[in-house]
Amino acid sequence: MRSHLLILIAATLMAKSAARGLVDAKDASHLRFMTYYGMNFSMQKSWLNLARASGNLANQFKSVGIPSLAQMPESGVYVRGKGLEPKWEATLTSFVDSLKPSIANGTTIGVFMGDELCCHNSACWASTIQPLSEKLRQLLGPDQIIYENDCADSFANVSVLSGLSMRQHTFRSFEIFVGILM
């Protein structure tokens, strides 16, 4: 899969509106993937087409034809603001190994790396995101989704980001909050 740089402002607004019942679920039918932060099966099963769930919740979504992204563990992998844990590769390998049955049966189609791993810290991309992405791509293979969400200001330091490869990611989204760019 080719890497895509996504800014999901419109999709996020659509998701929030759909969650509140303000728009019809059919309004998002043109989107290849529609997910939302915070999973609620009974409310979201009619308009999501990609869940971020594991275990029983992922199985519930799968029962109505919605695959999931498994949440990458934070513990044993990285510490926010400090970087990778000493045995992060072993923890990540064990995590991906545990996903193999759900990947094989189509319940899981990728990994959600996390939310705001590098918020307010552009240097974190080289020290944390890139190694994690490369290892996940190696372990998952070319067809599984790798997705991470971060703060828009994490991308402000272009000189830090210019040498990084984002080819391992399938999707990336950014949050832009009112006032952050003012």
Side-chain angles (χ1 to χ4, degrees):
M1 297 174 103
R2 281 187 283 188
S3 178
H4 301 279
L5 186 62
L6 291 183
I7 300 178
L8 297 176
I9 297 170
T12 300
L13 292 174
M14 174 80 72
K16 288 181 179 182
S17 297
R20 292 184 182 124
L22 301 175
V23 297
D24 190 332
K26 295 182 288 186
D27 291 342
S29 62
H30 65 287
L31 299 173
R32 181 172 176 200
F33 294 114
M34 180 64 164
T35 192
Y36 187 69
Y37 193 82
M39 294 289 105
N40 181 317
F41 177 74
S42 61
M43 287 181 59
Q44 298 168 333
K45 68 181 178 182
S46 64
W47 58 272
L48 287 181
N49 62 19
L50 180 62
R52 291 190 356 222
S54 299
N56 289 335
L57 185 56
N59 290 331
Q60 281 183 300
F61 279 109
K62 176 69 172 152
S63 74
V64 294
I66 301 171
S68 293
L69 297 177
Q71 173 71 51
M72 181 183 79
E74 185 171 334
S75 178
V77 177
Y78 66 94
V79 176
R80 289 179 192 268
K82 297 189 185 218
L84 297 171
E85 293 275 14
K87 297 181 180 181
W88 70 271
E89 289 182 276
T91 303
L92 205 56
T93 300
S94 177
F95 165 67
V96 171
D97 285 346
S98 74
L99 296 178
K100 288 183 179 175
S102 66
I103 289 172
N105 70 23
T107 300
T108 301
I109 62 168
V111 170
F112 176 60
M113 291 178 63
D115 185 42
E116 301 176 352
L117 274 68
C118 291
C119 202
H120 315 302
N121 182 0
S122 297
C124 169
W125 283 81
S127 65
T128 304
I129 297 291
Q130 186 154 347
L132 286 173
S133 300
E134 289 171 353
K135 186 66 175 180
L136 278 170
R137 182 55 66 212
Q138 174 194 357
L139 295 168
L140 291 168
D143 298 325
Q144 297 296 304
I145 293 172
I146 298 175
Y147 169 53
E148 193 262 344
N149 180 66
D150 232 304
C151 300
D153 69 342
S154 301
F155 303 91
N157 188 345
V158 177
S159 64
V160 171
L161 303 176
S162 64
L164 299 179
S165 169
M166 298 297 169
R167 290 181 308 210
Q168 295 81 12
H169 282 82
T170 309
F171 299 107
R172 173 164 311 286
S173 62
F174 311 109
E175 297 169 353
I176 300 175
F177 298 100
V178 174
I180 199 163
L181 300 177
M182 294 179 184

